[in-house]
Amino acid sequence: MADYHEMWAGLGLDLKTHDMVLEIVGKAYQDIFLSQKNRPKGMSYFDFVVSEIHGLRIKEIMDAKAEGRKVIGTFCVFVPEELVLAVDAVCIGLCAGAELGFEEAEKYLPRNTCSLIKAAFGFKLAKVCPYIETTDLIVGENTCDGKKKAYESYKDIVGNLYVMDLPQMKSTEGRALLKAEYKRFAQKLEEISGKKITVESLKKGIEIANNKRKAINRMAALRSADPTPISGLDALLANQVFFYDDPVRFTGSVNAICDELEARNREGMGVAPKGSPRILLSGCPMAVPNWKVPYVIETSKAVIVGEEMCTGERGTQNLVNTKGNTVDELIDGIVDRYFQIDCAVFTPNPSRLEHIKKMVKEYKADGVIHYGLQFCQPYQMESKIVEKELEKAGVPTLLIETDYSQEDAGQLKTRIEAFVERIKS
Ligand code: BJ8
């Protein structure tokens, strides 16, 4: 990697801590990803992206800003990238997956706050996230109580927060609220970018986002083969990079990997022996560099074949209808797509159960591991319903509750190995 210290200093990062973070993440990446056997060659693209995640990508974003483009940071898959693209802005996911700056974060948040929220504060307060520092606008959303209340303090820390209200029920009123909020967001984007959203620009934004989803969904579908042609870790990585990369380049790279995976499937070539226990992961999102649970699973003689998560199929399923002659009609198409996202903040949330069961079937999963972050009420509460429903359908299910620390890795390994044995017997 080239020397980006000047750029990082310009963004106000704490260079010493940031160097340390890059070193730890680089080492973890080497141990977890580069040690895998039979990886698709196309994954070298993602190796490069990760090695430059705070380097070249940030430089690209800074160059875009110099050309007058705006940068929009997000924490939730409910924020429609299509609208961001329609004003030629850059959309970046800001969720973080490491225990960093938690002590500082706990000056603003109660200790019993989930790691995802704590990391959002921690990365900003420890001055280690160049993405946050490049943003012109950060979009928060009223989803779980934790996030909703945390944004009240977060706004003072970042100074450029915009909060989107979101429905909690899949009702007519809920849909109307989502549409009103997307229209308000569109207006905000026009205001900060100085660009008008037109039918043409919105159609283009929809097309770029649809193509990105099509590519990642194509990759997901190829994992139904036995042996599976790509590890769950690598597929998760693609889903994580989904939130950072240039969308058009990302689409091309994922499609190239899919061509390779198709050839692998034709030849019966996989990353684990045929007949390996197949796991579906379900639950809270996993942001970079949160790789603990998938690593434990895939070093326990099992292979992950799908993710029912926002860093997975919950975030990428369904496309936006491109038909529409007015901006309002196109926004309707956007609302139709996003309103189907079955996050656990919705009540009741039966479509998530149906989706999990559908994924079990499609990806021929032998069991489901439900990943819940400690102190995440929506997913922890719903995990019991998921377990009951799946066990009733004869699908072995394991509920895991964890955080971003590495302390429970040994204990998780014991439980996951026992679960894999249960599946095999
Ligand atoms: S659509 S999952 S990205 S809200 S883990 S902060 S729920 S206490 S992240 Fe999410 Fe949007 Fe839903 Fe997806 Fe709260 Fe739970 Fe923490 Fe969570």
Side-chain angles (χ1 to χ4, degrees):
M1 184 164 67
D3 189 354
Y4 294 106
H5 282 84
E6 208 182 306
M7 178 177 77
W8 295 329
L11 286 169
L13 298 193
D14 176 334
L15 296 182
K16 208 167 138 217
T17 316
H18 184 249
D19 278 353
M20 190 189 75
V21 172
L22 286 190
E23 201 185 315
I24 294 172
V25 173
K27 169 88 177 61
Y29 191 78
Q30 199 147 6
D31 293 347
I32 294 172
F33 286 89
L34 302 183
S35 64
Q36 296 178 100
K37 298 211 168 60
N38 290 334
R39 290 180 86 207
K41 288 197 180 62
M43 283 309 293
S44 59
Y45 171 73
F46 287 100
D47 295 341
F48 177 71
V49 169
V50 173
S51 72
E52 289 285 347
I53 202 157
H54 282 194
L56 195 57
R57 184 64 187 128
I58 297 297
K59 176 155 186 327
E60 285 177 350
I61 293 171
M62 296 303 288
D63 290 346
K65 279 172 82 77
E67 285 166 16
R69 295 173 67 196
K70 299 294 173 190
V71 180
I72 313 297
T74 67
F75 285 108
C76 180
V77 296
F78 264 100
V79 180
E81 188 172 358
E82 293 82 353
L83 293 174
V84 176
L85 294 170
V87 293
D88 197 29
V90 181
C91 192
I92 295 289
L94 295 178
C95 291
E99 199 176 36
L100 218 124
F102 277 24
E103 230 179 270
E104 278 297 299
E106 282 174 18
K107 290 183 185 157
Y108 296 86
L109 303 164
R111 208 189 55 79
N112 59 349
T113 303
C114 85
S115 295
L116 206 80
I117 298 174
K118 271 192 202 166
F121 278 67
F123 272 60
K124 171 67 188 171
L125 294 166
K127 300 186 183 138
V128 291
C129 179
Y131 289 97
I132 296 177
E133 308 308 331
T134 63
T135 56
D136 296 288
L137 187 78
I138 296 181
V139 187
E141 14 56 53
N142 289 342
T143 44
C144 64
D145 283 353
K147 273 181 163 182
K148 194 158 60 189
K149 296 306 287 182
Y151 289 131
E152 291 175 16
S153 314
Y154 199 66
K155 77 170 191 322
D156 298 331
I157 301 173
V158 293
N160 59 351
L161 186 75
Y162 168 95
V163 178
M164 183 183 278
D165 198 11
L166 288 182
Q168 311 259 297
M169 290 181 91
K170 298 279 173 81
S171 56
T172 315
E173 294 78 6
R175 192 191 178 284
L177 170 63
L178 191 64
K179 183 169 178 192
E181 282 298 291
Y182 282 0
K183 287 179 87 164
R184 187 169 70 93
F185 182 50
Q187 240 172 34
K188 180 75 187 176
L189 288 169
E190 288 182 334
E191 194 185 299
I192 66 158
S193 68
K195 288 175 188 145
K196 189 105 192 96
I197 297 179
T198 61
V199 171
E200 203 190 9
S201 73
L202 189 49
K203 277 197 176 176
K204 194 171 158 216
I206 291 172
E207 194 191 335
I208 293 172
N210 273 350
N211 286 343
K212 187 162 91 153
R213 291 191 193 107
K214 270 188 217 162
I216 201 90
N217 293 338
R218 182 180 165 208
M219 178 186 273
L222 290 163
R223 295 163 75 195
S224 61
D226 185 17
T228 178
I230 184 167
S231 69
L233 273 163
D234 279 339
L236 172 65
L237 185 70
N239 274 291
Q240 291 174 329
V241 171
F242 183 94
F243 294 93
Y244 300 85
D245 205 0
D246 172 83
V248 176
R249 182 176 57 207
F250 176 88
T251 303
S253 306
V254 172
N255 276 323
I257 296 178
C258 289
D259 293 343
E260 192 185 342
L261 300 187
E262 274 171 4
R264 281 182 162 218
N265 282 355
R266 278 195 300 273
E267 291 157 18
M269 185 179 167
V271 284
K274 193 174 162 64
S276 295
R278 300 165 68 84
I279 304 289
L280 177 76
L281 258 181
S282 171
C284 296
M286 289 178 177
V288 175
N290 179 6
W291 303 311
K292 177 175 69 176
V293 171
Y295 178 68
V296 171
I297 295 172
E298 296 203 318
T299 49
S300 300
K301 297 200 165 70
V303 62
I304 300 164
V305 292
E307 298 76 23
E308 188 279 315
M309 304 177 149
C310 285
T311 41
E313 213 167 286
R314 190 186 319 121
T316 59
Q317 66 177 334
N318 304 316
L319 302 178
V320 173
N321 193 334
T322 45
K323 289 201 183 83
N325 298 317
T326 62
V327 169
D328 193 69
E329 281 171 15
L330 291 170
I331 290 181
D332 262 322
I334 293 173
V335 174
D336 285 342
R337 184 217 166 246
Y338 282 82
F339 202 47
Q340 293 178 69
I341 298 172
D342 35 28
C343 172
V345 298
F346 279 89
T347 182
N349 196 23
S351 64
R352 180 166 171 239
L353 295 181
E354 291 315 310
H355 186 218
I356 297 172
K357 285 194 279 183
K358 187 167 158 249
M359 286 184 77
V360 167
K361 227 188 208 160
E362 264 172 27
Y363 303 122
K364 305 180 191 82
D366 300 304
V368 173
I369 295 185
H370 190 283
Y371 163 83
L373 274 176
Q374 212 175 13
F375 309 124
C376 169
Q377 285 209 344
Y379 283 92
Q380 295 288 10
M381 290 267 185
E382 211 164 273
S383 70
K384 303 286 180 195
I385 303 170
V386 170
E387 181 186 36
K388 213 165 118 202
E389 183 82 9
L390 289 175
E391 292 282 354
K392 195 170 81 190
V395 182
T397 306
L398 176 69
L399 305 187
I400 277 176
E401 183 181 343
T402 184
D403 58 15
Y404 282 180
S405 77
Q406 294 299 320
E407 278 160 27
D408 61 350
Q411 193 203 15
L412 284 174
K413 179 123 183 94
T414 310
R415 290 188 64 208
I416 288 170
E417 279 176 353
F419 182 63
V420 173
E421 280 308 312
R422 181 185 158 201
I423 286 175
K424 282 205 279 190
S425 61

